[in-house]
Amino acid sequence: FSKMEYATRRIERYALQEVARSILREMVERNGKMTYVHQVRNCLRAKITKQKGVTLFYNVEREQANFGNLQRCYSVWNCPICSMTITEGRRTELKQGLANWTDLGGHAYLVTFTNSHHRGDNLGDLLQGQKKAFKKFWEKTKVVKMLKRLGYQGRIVATEVTWGEQNGWHPHYHMIFFFDHEVDPNGIQSFLALEWQDACIKAGLKAPDLIHGVDVRNGTYAAKYVSKWGLEDEVTKGHLKKGLNGSLTPFDLLRGASANNHFKTLFKEFADVFKGKQQLVWSKGLKDLLGIEQMTDEELIEETEKTSIEIRELGDLIWQLVLKYEKRAHVLELVERDYKNGTNSLDDFIMGLAHIHAGEMIRNSS
Ligand SMILES: [Zn+2]
């Protein structure tokens, strides 16, 4: 991405995070203390160490500024900022894993599982049903035997969900299947579709038809999917939506939330149901097989701060003003600009905030 694209994207991420936190206000009691159900409420806002200010860092290698001493939520589902960093790291692992496998002479296929769903279906119930269906599916002797015969070595499962006006929630699964030799996508699709349909019926789910339940595509599609994974909502659709029609990602719901209260309800339902769920699951032993050492979500986030130099610290009053006026992305931009151009625009900006604050104090007291 160009610098400009990165900057506009970041502004949008911070704005969407504000929307997410305005929707996810719920609190619970934990160990006698009230805390937020969703940590995105505090993400990149509340400090870690009270004794220190908020730190501004600059990463010379990436030419990017970032914050230090702020809590993070590490949510890939409901935090547009954390999810960007985490999916970026995960995408690198996916790409590397796939490349290592094909270098070894292996083959990979993109396999998508869906089932029928209708407007009004409860998202939690759908997921629960699918979980049950997958358990039955993977336990089927026929499936196990057939895959073994074809040289199946494992899979990576990516869980995704969209919402559409017509058919409601659509949780679905994109999987990369790894085989040690080539298989016929059409043949395996017919076989899997039949078994998947059967598993859905046994799990009490609305059964998919044999054409739509399972889709198998060759390695080219697997590589394309992996290279775009987690970027989907931006790269393929772009920023300017045609009226937010069709199938919407959860972040699309956030984009439309200010004009549509129903989207707020939907986003909350999504966030509650997906809380704590894993976005990407590698089957047992696959990481070793593909030579991937996976980092934790926390490590991926910290990685971006590792090689950074400290620029300055912001006092509590200034930080509160930055939050109040929703200027977090702007502050990062100024740090980057100043570092590159040797300017002092951040100082000017902070002075400006202080003046506005002083003016407000005077007006409020008179
Ligand atoms: Zn976050």
Side-chain angles (χ1 to χ4, degrees):
F1 302 120
S2 72
K3 284 273 130 54
M4 184 68 187
E5 257 178 289
Y6 177 82
T8 50
R9 213 169 280 258
R10 182 170 59 195
I11 292 169
E12 196 204 23
R13 296 276 174 179
Y14 274 87
L16 288 181
Q17 195 208 44
E18 302 272 359
V19 181
R21 76 183 293 276
S22 76
I23 296 171
L24 307 175
R25 294 166 178 273
E26 210 182 328
M27 298 189 90
V28 279
E29 201 188 305
R30 247 181 241 134
N31 309 323
K33 252 177 79 182
M34 291 307 280
T35 53
Y36 291 116
V37 172
H38 295 286
Q39 285 308 305
V40 68
R41 290 278 311 171
N42 284 329
C43 183
L44 286 165
R45 301 178 73 90
K47 293 197 295 182
I48 298 168
T49 307
K50 293 236 164 14
Q51 292 77 19
K52 263 188 85 183
V54 171
T55 331
L56 293 174
F57 287 105
Y58 184 77
N59 188 317
V60 182
E61 208 179 298
R62 291 169 174 253
E63 300 183 332
Q64 280 168 20
N66 43 61
F67 295 112
N69 194 28
L70 286 177
Q71 296 178 25
R72 299 294 296 258
C73 71
Y74 306 108
S75 172
V76 287
W77 303 115
N78 60 36
C79 179
I81 304 170
C82 287
S83 86
M84 177 171 60
T85 314
I86 294 169
T87 52
E88 199 181 288
R90 294 278 168 255
R91 189 163 54 245
T92 309
E93 291 170 351
L94 280 173
K95 275 194 212 163
Q96 192 58 56
L98 191 60
N100 291 352
W101 185 243
T102 42
D103 283 352
L104 287 169
H107 293 265
Y109 297 82
L110 179 66
V111 186
T112 304
F113 287 81
T114 56
N115 72 289
S116 299
H117 56 99
H118 298 100
R119 198 187 159 106
D121 283 348
N122 174 289
L123 180 60
D125 292 346
L126 276 175
L127 281 180
Q128 208 53 42
Q130 289 172 331
K131 197 177 163 190
K132 230 164 118 184
F134 274 120
K135 192 167 182 308
K136 292 196 183 296
F137 179 82
W138 290 114
E139 281 171 4
K140 277 170 170 279
T141 318
K142 259 168 125 178
V143 172
V144 174
K145 273 192 176 158
M146 172 66 116
L147 288 176
K148 198 175 169 194
R149 199 152 57 80
L150 293 172
Y152 168 80
Q153 298 295 327
R155 64 182 175 274
I156 299 171
V157 180
T159 302
E160 289 183 14
V161 63
T162 52
W163 183 88
E165 190 69 48
Q166 216 164 12
N167 290 314
W169 289 115
H170 177 46
H172 53 282
Y173 305 83
H174 295 293
M175 307 191 188
I176 312 284
F177 277 24
F178 294 87
F179 290 93
D180 57 18
H181 55 265
E182 214 170 339
V183 301
D184 167 29
N186 294 325
I188 195 167
Q189 175 171 317
S190 317
F191 169 76
L192 294 176
L194 204 64
E195 298 304 322
W196 172 239
Q197 189 185 54
D198 181 57
C200 287
I201 293 167
K202 284 186 176 137
L205 269 185
K206 283 171 198 150
D209 61 48
L210 292 176
I211 300 172
H212 299 104
V214 180
D215 180 77
V216 181
R217 311 237 170 154
N218 67 26
T220 321
Y221 288 90
K224 212 196 271 169
Y225 176 72
V226 160
S227 72
K228 282 198 291 192
W229 181 76
L231 289 171
E232 216 167 11
D233 57 329
E234 294 139 317
V235 172
T236 56
K237 293 195 226 154
H239 283 279
L240 299 166
K241 294 271 147 46
K242 299 172 200 111
L244 288 170
N245 288 318
S247 70
L248 308 180
T249 66
F251 290 157
D252 285 337
L253 294 174
L254 284 183
R255 289 184 182 100
S258 63
N260 187 331
N261 275 326
H262 185 45
F263 284 5
K264 289 182 191 158
T265 313
L266 289 168
F267 185 78
K268 180 157 188 318
E269 183 186 0
F270 157 76
D272 288 341
V273 167
F274 272 76
K275 184 178 157 64
K277 289 215 188 317
Q278 253 185 296
Q279 188 181 31
L280 267 189
V281 180
W282 298 51
S283 62
K284 225 176 139 205
L286 189 66
K287 275 174 230 160
D288 285 343
L289 190 69
L290 303 192
I292 294 299
E293 242 180 87
Q294 215 171 12
M295 290 206 273
T296 64
D297 292 346
E298 288 79 2
E299 284 168 342
L300 285 173
I301 296 241
E302 277 154 24
E303 189 72 10
T304 61
E305 288 157 26
K306 247 184 212 163
T307 53
S308 300
I309 49 170
E310 190 172 327
I311 299 291
R312 65 178 289 170
E313 217 175 280
L314 296 178
D316 286 353
L317 174 66
I318 295 299
W319 183 243
Q320 287 312 313
L321 293 171
V322 169
L323 292 179
K324 182 179 169 187
Y325 294 105
E326 300 179 2
K327 293 292 183 193
R328 291 177 298 170
H330 186 63
V331 165
L332 295 178
E333 242 169 83
L334 295 180
V335 172
E336 289 162 3
R337 203 183 299 166
D338 285 349
Y339 189 89
K340 241 177 284 165
N341 306 336
T343 47
N344 295 309
S345 42
L346 180 64
D347 289 342
D348 296 342
F349 173 73
I350 289 172
M351 284 300 283
L353 275 184
H355 278 301
I356 292 168
H357 179 65
E360 280 176 354
M361 275 197 299
I362 295 164
R363 266 195 307 282
N364 291 341
S365 65
S366 58

